[in-house]
């Protein structure tokens, strides 16, 4: 785990160093001296509000069927999800670890999987849809050359293909059964848990049956809850995409259209969403610089990258490491 954290930090700092060196080495200090700490604190609060809303989404999706769970536990789950996404390749560890964390706190695996799966697919659906819509209407300045057009549309196409896979995995009963009851996965889980293969297979089938029953029940009886979840998800996306916009304002840059900035952020996020580096580190800093260097002055773009990643990446790694140590100690004491 330490190696993964170190790799992510090195990639992130390395790319930040490169764009600082070639993009704004002479004027970067001037940009930092001009920062408005009042506006900077608003950016920090905006990201905290995003985490508060995300934890609330977990709580309402788990509580709709009578599951009792504290909001504090849901907030811890959000922080741990962000942390594990930040340190795992393809940002793939967030949702699995969130499910594991909930299961370890006595939430059944099928309920945990349903809540986290619905959250994930709702977020990805809205991000992909809004990316295409905003690029269509506000993307002229982003796609100013063939290189940027290729980067954006290739990233969106690949992310959309992966999105289809997750749609099938979460909502298609036959596809999910085929994946999770395969001989390879059954044997792998059997060896990992040191349990009989037939027992693992039966447990998997039972859990999948309960999962799809919960999903069906959520759709049939809780449409208002799904609408609330979708509205909260849209608000979450707006908040996270707005953090770097506020940071640009904190450095004194005013001449940028918010909708164009939002389109750029969504397109950039989709391009780097499934990069194979821990937390998309390295790629996300480079993509941000390439996307915004023609929209704003380069010193402000570099300063924004540094402060944005400080809030949403480095701070998350520090907070997540501390929280994970506490959680793992608690699990150990409970086991004893």
């Amino acid at each position: 785990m330490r190696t993964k954290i170190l790799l992510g930090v090195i990639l992130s700092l390395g790319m930040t160093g490169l764009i600082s060196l070639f993009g704004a080495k002479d004027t970067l200090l001037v940009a930092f001296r001009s920062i408005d700490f009042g506006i900077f604190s608003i950016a920090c609060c905006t990201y905290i509000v995003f985490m508060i809303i995300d934890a609330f989404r977990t709580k309402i999706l788990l509580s709709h069927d009578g599951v009792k769970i504290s909001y504090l536990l849901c907030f811890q789950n959000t922080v741990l999800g962000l942390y594990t996404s930040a340190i795992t390749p393809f940002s793939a560890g967030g949702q699995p670890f969130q499910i594991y964390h909930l299961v370890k706190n006595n939430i059944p695996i099928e309920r945990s999987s349903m809540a986290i799966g619905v959250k994930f697919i709702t977020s990805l659906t809205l991000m992909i849809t809004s990316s295409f819509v905003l690029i269509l209407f506000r993307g002229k300045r982003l796609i100013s050359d063939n290189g940027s057009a290729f980067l954006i549309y290739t990233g969106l196409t690949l992310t959309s293909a992966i999105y289809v896979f997750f749609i099938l995995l979460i909502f298609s009963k036959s596809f999910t059964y085929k994946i999770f009851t395969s001989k390879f996965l059954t044997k792998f889980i059997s060896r990992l848990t040191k349990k009989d293969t037939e027992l693992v297979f039966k447990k998997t089938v039972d859990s999948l049956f309960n999962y799809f029953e919960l999903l069906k029940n959520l759709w049939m009886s809780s449409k208002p809850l799904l609408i609330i979840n979708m509205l909260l998800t849209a608000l979450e996306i707006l908040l996270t995409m707005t953090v770097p916009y506020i940071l640009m304002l904190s450095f004194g840059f005013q001449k940028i259209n918010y909708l164009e900035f939002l389109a750029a952020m969504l397109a950039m996020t989709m391009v780097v969403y499934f990069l194979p580096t821990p937390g998309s580190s390295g790629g996300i800093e480079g993509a941000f610089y390439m996307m915004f260097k023609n929209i704003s002055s380069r010193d402000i773009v570099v300063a924004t990258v540094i402060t944005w990643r400080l809030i949403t990446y480095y701070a998350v790694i520090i907070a997540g490491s501390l929280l994970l140590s506490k959680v793992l100690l608690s699990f150990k004491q409970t086991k004893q």
Side-chain angles (χ1 to χ4, degrees), residues 122-136 138 142 151-153 155-156 159 233-234 236-242 244 258-273 284 287-288 291-292 308:
T122 305
S123 298
L124 198 53
T125 300
L126 288 179
M127 287 186 72
I128 290 175
T129 305
S130 55
S131 294
F132 279 110
V133 171
L134 280 171
I135 287 172
L136 181 65
R138 290 281 179 172
L142 307 179
L151 181 68
I152 289 170
Y153 287 124
L156 285 172
T159 301
T233 304
E236 268 191 39
I237 293 170
L238 279 175
L239 289 171
T240 52
M241 299 296 114
T242 301
Y258 177 71
L259 285 179
E260 285 180 359
F261 184 91
L262 191 61
M265 279 299 298
L266 284 165
M268 184 207 74
T269 303
M270 291 296 95
V271 167
V272 301
Y273 201 93
I284 199 167
F288 188 95
M291 191 71 73
F292 290 102
W308 174 48

Side-chain angles (χ1 to χ4, degrees), residues 23-44:
K25 65 176 181 178
D26 298 323
T27 55
L28 187 57
L29 286 177
V30 177
F32 274 114
R33 289 191 188 114
S34 68
I35 190 170
D36 185 322
F37 283 101
I39 299 177
F40 175 79
S41 64
I42 292 173
C44 296

Side-chain angles (χ1 to χ4, degrees), residues 100-146:
Y100 168 79
H101 175 246
L102 291 173
V103 170
K104 293 294 286 186
N105 282 278
N106 302 316
I107 307 298
I109 188 169
E110 53 269 23
R111 295 180 187 273
S112 303
S113 302
M114 184 272 293
I116 300 302
V118 168
K119 281 180 62 184
F120 172 73
I121 210 65
T122 305
S123 298
L124 198 53
T125 300
L126 288 179
M127 287 186 72
I128 290 175
T129 305
S130 55
S131 294
F132 279 110
V133 171
L134 280 171
I135 287 172
L136 181 65
F137 291 103
R138 290 281 179 172
K140 289 183 179 179
R141 291 184 66 187
L142 307 179
I143 310 174
S144 55
D145 55 69
N146 292 332

